[in-house]
Amino acid sequence: MIPVLICVLISLSAADNDLDTLYPELEDSRTIYVTENGPQLSVMAEETKVVSRRGGNATLPCKIQRDQSLAPNRKMRIKWTKLTPDYLKEEDVFVVMDYHKRSYGSFHGRVHLQGSSPMDASLVITEITLQDYGRYKCEVIDGLEDGTVVVSLDLEGVIFPYYPRLGRYNLNFYDAVRACHDQDAIVASFDQLFDAWRGGMDWCNAGWLNDGTVQYPVTNPREPCGGKNTVPGIRNYGLRDKDKNHYDVFCFTSHYKGRFYYLIHPSKLTYDEAVRACQKDGAEIAKVGQMYAAWKLLGYDRCDAGWLADGSVRYPISSPRRRCSPTEAAVRFSGFPDKKHKLYGVYCFKGHN
């Protein structure tokens, strides 16, 4: 590290008169330079963003640089935590000190240090879940020295707007979290919404994000969406009351382990018949998030409207064509019809354990 130069200005007093006599070239002040050693430990990451997928593995980099003059310290502690979306709290993930190791919560049994060298504090996460998405902090404490670095874990996936059978703007924040979870998804982050907007997402209904803000993406400005004379972008309502305010929600899902498919059946089905038909086929009725993942990540295309678990009717189109989403690739939404209507097929999901 660059030495710290401390400049001390000292005014001469009457006691310095003899020195002035001997050295008349000195003025009434002099500068003394004192050298102090800088930090002897630092932490760094070769990359600050790692991309993986649900069910996959990821290594979050964290390398220690330690002054060789320091004596070996068996009590050097390495601690990994996960930052909450609002950055107000940290969730313990993994702690190591000497031979003592401990993983926490949902990370138990799924995390360990890469340990390619004594100075490698990189964290390996296995069997990644949707909830693992976010920012992680690597903290190293070595006596009086310490260092930190933050690394983001991103997931390949798809974001989608969602509201339940009750209709639009009926979810407070906690309802929104449950609604996404019920559809095999999590509440999306601003970064995920921004990436979707850059990819062309245009949605004129405000929805919750995981940091407690309410926003929506507009690529084609128009009067009902902030005004036609405004610029494209993410419209932001800011932080809202998580209990009292009600909006839609933007959900995010990733790859799944299983098979999503349209069940070939000799007749159209009511909702209850659709549920039983999937069960009879050794599966369960599919969720909205599973349809979006199949459509976006696997290119699933089917021009047959079918029941999903939330009671909605939808169908995924990857290749736009006449009578099947002629203008764009999309998951088409037919609403929440009466569950007794015998008008639709069903989409099923068979998980691979």
Side-chain angles (χ1 to χ4, degrees):
M1 302 297 292
I2 299 174
V4 179
L5 298 181
I6 304 176
C7 298
V8 182
L9 185 64
I10 303 176
S11 297
L12 297 179
S13 64
D16 295 320
N17 289 337
D18 292 340
L19 189 61
D20 291 338
T21 302
L22 294 173
Y23 303 100
E25 67 275 10
L26 294 179
E27 299 182 2
D28 290 341
S29 63
R30 64 174 62 88
T31 302
I32 299 176
Y33 295 94
V34 180
T35 301
E36 180 183 277
N37 290 330
Q40 295 177 297
L41 179 142
S42 62
V43 177
M44 62 174 292
E46 299 94 335
E47 52 184 342
T48 57
K49 182 178 180 180
V50 175
V51 180
S52 188
R53 60 171 62 185
R54 176 166 53 176
N57 302 331
T59 300
L60 308 185
C62 180
K63 296 297 177 65
I64 305 168
Q65 293 183 334
R66 191 170 182 269
D67 194 309
Q68 295 182 354
S69 65
L70 291 175
N73 182 8
R74 294 180 58 188
K75 293 187 177 181
M76 182 170 68
R77 188 177 76 155
I78 300 169
K79 181 178 181 180
W80 279 92
T81 55
K82 185 173 185 287
L83 307 178
T84 57
D86 56 12
Y87 300 102
L88 297 179
K89 296 180 180 178
E90 296 181 16
E91 174 188 0
D92 289 340
V93 175
F94 193 62
V95 176
V96 177
M97 187 170 69
D98 197 15
Y99 295 107
H100 302 285
K101 303 175 183 179
R102 183 177 179 183
S103 55
Y104 294 84
S106 64
F107 294 97
H108 183 68
R110 296 194 298 120
V111 293
H112 63 271
L113 292 191
Q114 179 172 256
S116 62
S117 72
M119 296 294 102
D120 183 9
S122 302
L123 183 73
V124 178
I125 306 177
T126 62
E127 289 297 318
I128 288 173
T129 69
L130 292 175
Q131 289 72 25
D132 292 342
Y133 168 86
R135 291 178 171 84
Y136 293 76
K137 185 174 77 172
C138 174
E139 180 181 24
V140 179
I141 300 175
D142 185 4
L144 298 178
E145 302 286 337
D146 69 288
T148 63
V149 68
V150 174
V151 181
S152 296
L153 174 60
D154 201 359
L155 300 180
E156 298 171 353
V158 57
I159 188 172
F160 60 95
Y162 184 78
Y163 63 89
R165 178 177 285 274
L166 290 173
R168 296 191 185 281
Y169 292 0
N170 269 289
L171 301 171
N172 68 19
F173 178 79
Y174 305 103
D175 294 332
V177 172
R178 286 189 290 270
C180 289
H181 179 267
D182 289 345
Q183 300 312 314
D184 191 42
I186 57 173
V187 179
S189 70
F190 172 79
D191 289 342
Q192 290 166 337
L193 183 65
F194 183 75
D195 288 343
W197 169 75
R198 289 201 307 175
M201 187 176 191
D202 185 281
W203 192 255
C204 197
N205 294 92
W208 290 103
L209 296 179
N210 68 353
D211 60 359
T213 63
V214 173
Q215 310 190 39
Y216 63 98
V218 175
T219 57
N220 179 29
R222 51 203 183 276
E223 283 304 332
C225 305
K228 64 180 180 180
N229 294 323
T230 57
V231 298
I234 307 293
R235 307 286 188 258
N236 188 354
Y237 288 5
L239 290 167
R240 312 302 289 175
D241 190 304
K242 292 183 177 181
D243 289 299
K244 297 179 180 179
N245 293 136
H246 294 76
Y247 298 94
D248 295 346
V249 62
F250 289 98
C251 301
F252 174 85
T253 193
S254 183
H255 294 265
Y256 52 72
K257 290 185 176 181
R259 178 185 170 220
F260 172 90
Y261 62 101
Y262 181 81
L263 181 66
I264 303 301
H265 196 272
S267 64
K268 299 300 182 183
L269 305 164
T270 66
Y271 176 80
D272 289 339
E273 290 172 341
V275 172
R276 289 194 295 270
C278 287
Q279 292 173 343
K280 186 177 179 180
D281 200 49
E284 62 182 10
I285 189 169
K287 300 177 179 180
V288 176
Q290 291 162 348
M291 176 176 280
Y292 269 96
W295 164 73
K296 183 71 173 180
L297 304 175
L298 301 177
Y300 193 93
D301 183 285
R302 185 89 191 191
C303 195
D304 291 287
W307 291 106
L308 292 177
D310 65 340
S312 66
V313 171
R314 307 171 196 248
Y315 58 100
I317 300 298
S318 296
S319 301
R321 55 198 182 275
R322 187 181 179 188
R323 297 182 181 177
C324 296
S325 187
T327 59
E328 63 178 350
V331 171
R332 288 302 181 187
F333 176 52
S334 300
F336 290 91
D338 189 321
K339 290 185 175 182
K340 295 180 180 180
H341 285 174
K342 203 179 184 79
L343 299 173
Y344 310 102
V346 61
Y347 288 91
C348 304
F349 182 80
K350 189 176 294 186
H352 294 164
N353 294 326

